[in-house]
Amino acid sequence: MPFDYKKEYREFYMPPKKPTIVTVPPMNYIAVRGSGDPNEENGEYKQSMGLLYGIAFTIKMSKKGSRQIEGYFDYVVPPLEGFWWQDGKQDIDYNNKKSFRWISLIRLPDFVKKEDFDWAISEASAKKKSDFSKVEFLKYNEGLCVQCMHIGSYDSEPETIQLMHEFMEQNGYKLDISDRRFHHEIYLSDARRVSPDRLKTVIRHPII
C-alpha cells in the first residue's frame, strides 16, 4: 500500500474538532506564491494549482521514468495546503479576499532533495510545455501551534478560529502570526465535490 501522510501522521492532518497544541517539525514543500481572491475564475490562485500538481505528480511518477530518486517509496500525494495573510493585519478579513496574499503548498516526501526537485521542474516544463518558474522548493519549520479541524465553509472559519484563540489564551499561549509565521490551512476535501457545510479543513495558527 502507498504511504499515506494523512494516515501515518494523523496528529498533523486529522486533528479533533476541538483545539489542541501541536509542535510541527520542519518539512519541505512544493510552493507557489501569489495574491488575490482565490475564487476568481482563471485567477492567479487557480493557475497555481496546475503548477503545484504538475510538479507533485512528476515526482510521484518518476519511478516509471529515467530518474530513479534515491530512497524513493510509493506514496499518496499529500493534501493541498495554504499559508494566508493580508499586509498589515494579524487576523484574516474574509470580506476582502482581493487583498489576500498566499503561498500554496504540497508537502514533499523527505527523500526528495533539491536536485530532484530541480529535475522535476525541468521535466515538467519540457513535457507539458509550460512555465514552472514560479514553483519553488520551500523549507519551513512551523514549530509550536494551536490547531483544530474546521467543518464547514471557508467563510465560517472565524468561529473555529475564535475557539482556537480562547483555548490558546486559557493555556497560557500567545498568537504569533507575523511575516514569517502564517495562518495555515490544510484542505482535506475537494471543494468541487463536497458541499460547503461538509468541507474539512485543518486550521493552524503559530503561538508562543
Side-chain angles (χ1 to χ4, degrees):
M1 293 288 290
F3 187 92
D4 190 333
Y5 285 85
K6 296 191 303 298
K7 294 178 180 178
E8 299 296 333
Y9 295 103
R10 295 181 64 85
E11 67 269 33
F12 303 132
Y13 297 100
M14 299 297 291
K17 290 182 282 187
K18 294 181 179 180
T20 56
I21 304 298
V22 64
T23 299
V24 184
M27 298 180 188
N28 296 332
Y29 295 92
I30 308 166
V32 177
R33 300 171 188 262
S35 60
D37 188 341
N39 298 316
E40 181 183 350
E41 194 66 32
N42 298 319
E44 192 173 1
Y45 182 79
K46 293 190 176 179
Q47 291 175 18
S48 75
M49 296 300 101
L51 299 176
L52 284 173
Y53 283 103
I55 300 305
F57 280 99
T58 296
I59 293 170
K60 175 178 169 59
M61 301 309 294
S62 63
K63 62 181 180 179
K64 295 188 175 181
S66 59
R67 179 84 175 191
Q68 299 301 305
I69 299 176
E70 183 178 357
Y72 181 97
F73 55 80
D74 196 16
Y75 64 98
V76 177
V77 172
L80 177 69
E81 308 184 34
F83 296 147
W84 298 86
W85 71 97
Q86 289 159 317
D87 289 340
K89 297 176 66 67
Q90 193 175 55
D91 57 351
I92 297 291
D93 180 1
Y94 290 80
N95 294 316
N96 188 18
K97 295 184 174 68
K98 289 184 178 180
S99 69
F100 277 161
R101 295 171 63 83
W102 41 263
I103 306 174
S104 292
L105 311 153
I106 295 177
R107 182 179 178 175
L108 282 167
D110 290 342
F111 62 74
V112 178
K113 305 298 187 291
K114 180 62 165 57
E115 55 266 31
D116 302 313
F117 182 87
D118 291 342
W119 164 84
I121 295 290
S122 297
E123 181 78 358
S125 299
K127 285 194 171 182
K128 299 178 181 296
K129 302 190 185 317
S130 296
D131 181 7
F132 285 86
S133 61
K134 289 184 65 176
V135 186
E136 64 182 275
F137 182 91
L138 178 66
K139 295 183 177 182
Y140 191 74
N141 185 4
E142 195 161 18
L144 188 66
C145 296
V146 59
Q147 69 178 10
C148 190
M149 180 71 78
H150 173 72
I151 309 294
S153 72
Y154 304 129
D155 287 341
S156 68
E157 287 181 3
E159 301 167 15
T160 297
I161 291 170
Q162 179 65 28
L163 294 175
M164 290 167 55
H165 289 183
E166 290 173 358
F167 176 83
M168 166 194 74
E169 292 170 358
Q170 290 166 2
N171 286 273
Y173 296 100
K174 294 181 180 179
L175 188 66
D176 191 36
I177 287 179
S178 69
D179 59 355
R180 294 173 179 263
R181 305 187 77 198
F182 309 104
H183 170 95
H184 187 177
E185 299 182 0
I186 303 174
Y187 308 106
L188 303 178
S189 304
D190 186 340
R192 299 169 299 179
R193 298 172 179 166
V194 177
S195 62
D197 62 311
R198 298 180 64 186
L199 291 171
K200 291 184 178 181
T201 307
V202 180
I203 302 176
R204 190 180 291 158
H205 277 181
I207 57 175
I208 52 175

